[in-house]
Amino acid sequence: MSRSILNGYTGSDPDRSELNPLFARPGEAHDLPKFRLPASEALPETAYQVVHDEAMLDGNARMNLATFVSTWMDDHAGRLYLEAADKNMIDKDEYPRTAEIEARCWTMLADLWHAPQPRRAIGTSTIGSSEACMLGGLALKRRWRNARRAAGKPADRPNLVMSSAVQVCWEKFCNYWDVEPRLVPISEDHKVLDGYRLEDYVDENTIGVVAIMGVTYTGMYEPVAKIAQALDAIQERTGLDVPIHVDAASGGMIAPFVQPDLEWDFRINRVASISTSGHKYGLVYPGIGWVVWREESALPEELIFEVSYLGGQMPTFALNFSRPGAQVLLQYYMFLRLGFDGYRRVQANSRDVARYLAGEIAQMGPFELWNDGSDIPVFAWRLRADHTDRWNLYDLSDRLRMKGWLVPAYPMPDNLADLTVQRIVVRNGLSRDLADALLEDMRAEVTYLDRLGGPLPHVEGRPAAFHH
């Protein structure tokens, strides 16, 4: 059966969607423009069918092992999502209970992350953890600027210290808000930012240090306590008091449950703020993020706006104004639905599957693990240098994609740019049975690639299929 019949329209003209007669309704045109508004209406059934069939060509989200984002929630969450789809989070005067629930959620997170007085902490929901990071960075910059001006010192050359493996949102923050990024390169000996030679990057213009709980490239934790100790030593020598923002996009909803004794959060006095993704291991559909400051004094007052909106006065300090309220309710639903023990069991299961997969992949022969999924349920591996010159990890990624699996291959950052790794993100929903199915396909594809009579041809300058 041709693709045109399956999709309900043909593709003869790339600028138009021609409706198959089986889907056209009486009185309707038989083609629709793709890049300008149609001249007239279509029946909802027809518009639905066209959009549905386009989206059908996307991959299976459950088999996407590249994304950190939640791809499954239960039926009750689905019902709640539909019921709350019309709520605008910014309209707190119209939806006061949703606003109250938002405050409950970030207060719960402040408690989970050991804020000294959770009810005196301050936070907000965001569209995702990237916005949460932007707000955390802005607070660092304003606190630094205010302190410099109060001391009569120049405040025109701020810098932010972070790992070269930082997620791109931090590079965007530095670009958008005129902050110099000081990237500490990772290496074979220092796979994450661990405080080593931190004094070479910190000076009087440093607004803060970013510590990552779950590096995007590999899933490894950066040791926040060691970074804080290095900053303590710097302060003893220089008097510089440099705060930490913890980018806990993933680890913020893993470590409290499966590594409860690990000190990375507000138990460390130097940690001023923490951000996380509710739509990652918070187990909520995209997009929802959270940022929490250990106390109100950590968030400069000038970043909080009192605005009049639809007849009410309300404080707001998110970058986005109108945004969905449904995901906030979904986060609260998940907190109530699972509780601490439920989250502990879900996250422990994901980590168990990650470690099982890592162990089996390590035993296949061609691969060497970079890490084993012991931090967040994410791990990466490289191809052994002496294994083959006939294929590489990009070839394996392509072969797995043919089976429906999205397992990305990509270069590591800066000093390790010549090193290519593959990575798997284990999320709730990747069962042990699915993991075994993936391993079976991996073994079959490795056998196929190893039997090649010569090197696979590679297109020069082939664009990368995956980006951080």
Side-chain angles (χ1 to χ4, degrees):
M1 185 177 289
S2 72
R3 171 175 160 174
S4 63
I5 297 298
L6 284 173
N7 289 351
Y9 55 88
T10 64
S12 55
D13 183 344
D15 291 337
R16 305 188 73 81
S17 295
E18 184 177 342
L19 299 181
N20 185 290
L22 290 174
F23 291 104
R25 274 75 179 179
E28 286 190 316
H30 279 231
D31 61 354
L32 296 171
K34 289 182 179 179
F35 301 106
R36 58 181 173 80
L37 281 173
S40 58
E41 301 175 49
L43 288 173
E45 294 87 347
T46 303
Y48 167 82
Q49 190 68 53
V50 171
V51 177
H52 170 84
D53 287 355
E54 287 274 3
M56 185 177 66
L57 300 177
D58 284 336
N60 185 331
R62 292 280 293 280
M63 297 173 75
N64 181 357
L65 305 185
T67 184
F68 287 78
V69 176
S70 296
T71 54
W72 180 86
M73 293 189 78
D74 64 34
D75 290 341
H76 295 283
R79 285 167 49 193
L80 187 60
Y81 201 173
L82 289 175
E83 292 168 1
D86 59 348
K87 292 184 184 290
N88 184 357
M89 190 64 245
I90 203 65
D91 189 1
K92 299 181 182 181
D93 183 61
E94 184 70 18
Y95 307 115
R97 302 317 300 172
T98 300
E100 167 65 23
I101 286 171
E102 178 193 29
R104 292 178 197 172
C105 285
W106 59 252
T107 304
M108 287 179 177
L109 289 172
D111 180 67
L112 185 68
W113 296 335
H114 299 96
Q117 298 181 65
R119 297 293 293 273
R120 296 182 66 85
I122 188 168
T124 185
S125 66
T126 58
I127 292 294
S129 62
S130 293
E131 182 188 359
C133 289
M134 298 279 177
L135 291 172
L138 275 174
L140 292 178
K141 182 180 178 182
R142 288 296 180 89
R143 287 177 61 191
W144 169 84
R145 189 188 71 178
N146 293 347
R148 296 281 291 179
R149 288 178 174 175
K153 297 178 179 179
D156 58 341
R157 298 179 61 189
N159 68 69
L160 182 66
V161 176
M162 50 197 166
S163 161
S164 62
V166 76
Q167 212 270 349
V168 70
C169 72
W170 286 105
E171 297 181 51
K172 288 184 176 180
F173 165 77
C174 291
N175 187 344
Y176 297 165
W177 277 279
D178 294 322
V179 175
E180 176 197 351
R182 292 195 173 176
L183 302 177
V184 182
I186 64 170
S187 65
E188 295 276 359
D189 295 327
H190 300 276
K191 294 182 174 181
V192 295
L193 179 67
D194 57 10
Y196 175 70
R197 300 193 67 175
L198 196 58
E199 65 276 8
D200 294 345
Y201 298 86
V202 170
D203 61 23
E204 64 179 358
N205 292 316
T206 301
I207 66 173
V209 172
V210 175
I212 311 170
M213 285 294 288
V215 174
T216 305
Y217 286 85
T218 62
M220 297 178 69
Y221 288 155
E222 293 185 337
V224 182
K226 286 183 65 176
I227 294 170
Q229 289 170 5
L231 291 172
D232 289 343
I234 291 170
Q235 184 175 8
E236 288 178 11
R237 291 196 308 272
T238 67
L240 298 175
D241 185 8
V242 179
I244 294 173
H245 174 87
V246 179
D247 180 352
S250 295
M253 294 303 294
I254 294 289
F257 304 108
V258 298
Q259 298 113 350
D261 296 328
L262 179 65
E263 293 193 1
W264 63 274
D265 52 17
F266 291 124
R267 284 172 287 187
I268 299 171
N269 291 334
R270 201 168 286 277
V271 172
S273 50
I274 301 172
S275 55
T276 197
S277 278
H279 62 227
K280 293 179 181 173
Y281 289 103
L283 308 180
V284 174
Y285 285 138
I288 178 73
W290 300 94
V291 58
V292 178
W293 288 266
R294 68 181 302 121
E295 55 200 3
E296 290 185 6
S297 62
L299 178 65
E301 288 186 7
E302 67 262 29
L303 292 180
I304 302 174
F305 285 80
E306 289 285 342
V307 297
S308 176
Y309 191 65
L310 296 182
Q313 287 291 125
M314 61 178 186
T316 176
F317 55 98
L319 297 179
N320 292 287
F321 204 67
S322 293
R323 53 194 172 91
Q327 281 85 349
V328 170
L329 299 183
L330 289 179
Q331 185 73 84
Y332 190 54
Y333 166 77
M334 291 305 302
F335 286 169
L336 297 182
R337 166 73 178 81
L338 291 177
F340 187 93
D341 188 61
Y343 266 98
R344 180 190 60 79
R345 291 196 295 159
V346 168
Q347 314 300 37
N349 180 73
S350 293
R351 193 175 67 152
D352 289 346
V353 172
R355 297 188 69 179
Y356 167 70
L357 275 170
E360 293 296 309
I361 289 172
Q363 293 178 30
M364 286 185 187
F367 309 118
E368 179 182 353
L369 292 180
W370 182 266
N371 61 306
D372 66 357
S374 295
D375 293 337
I376 64 173
V378 175
F379 64 97
W381 65 91
R382 68 177 109 188
L383 186 64
R384 293 185 184 276
D386 60 352
H387 180 72
T388 185
D389 61 357
R390 299 178 181 180
W391 59 275
N392 57 37
L393 292 181
Y394 295 103
D395 299 319
L396 177 58
S397 181
D398 288 343
R399 297 293 304 180
L400 290 172
R401 190 185 290 265
M402 295 179 191
K403 298 287 183 70
W405 300 105
L406 182 55
V407 183
Y410 49 86
M412 294 286 275
D414 290 350
N415 284 20
L416 295 173
D418 292 335
L419 171 62
T420 297
V421 299
Q422 267 188 295
R423 186 197 69 196
I424 284 177
V425 178
V426 176
R427 303 182 309 281
N428 184 32
L430 183 65
S431 65
R432 180 72 172 261
D433 286 343
L434 282 175
D436 283 331
L438 169 63
L439 290 169
E440 182 179 346
D441 286 339
M442 280 192 69
R443 293 186 183 105
E445 297 309 326
V446 167
T447 299
Y448 168 84
L449 291 168
D450 279 343
R451 288 177 178 172
L452 291 172
L456 279 172
H458 294 117
V459 178
E460 198 67 31
R462 178 178 69 168
F466 180 80
H467 299 275
H468 284 287

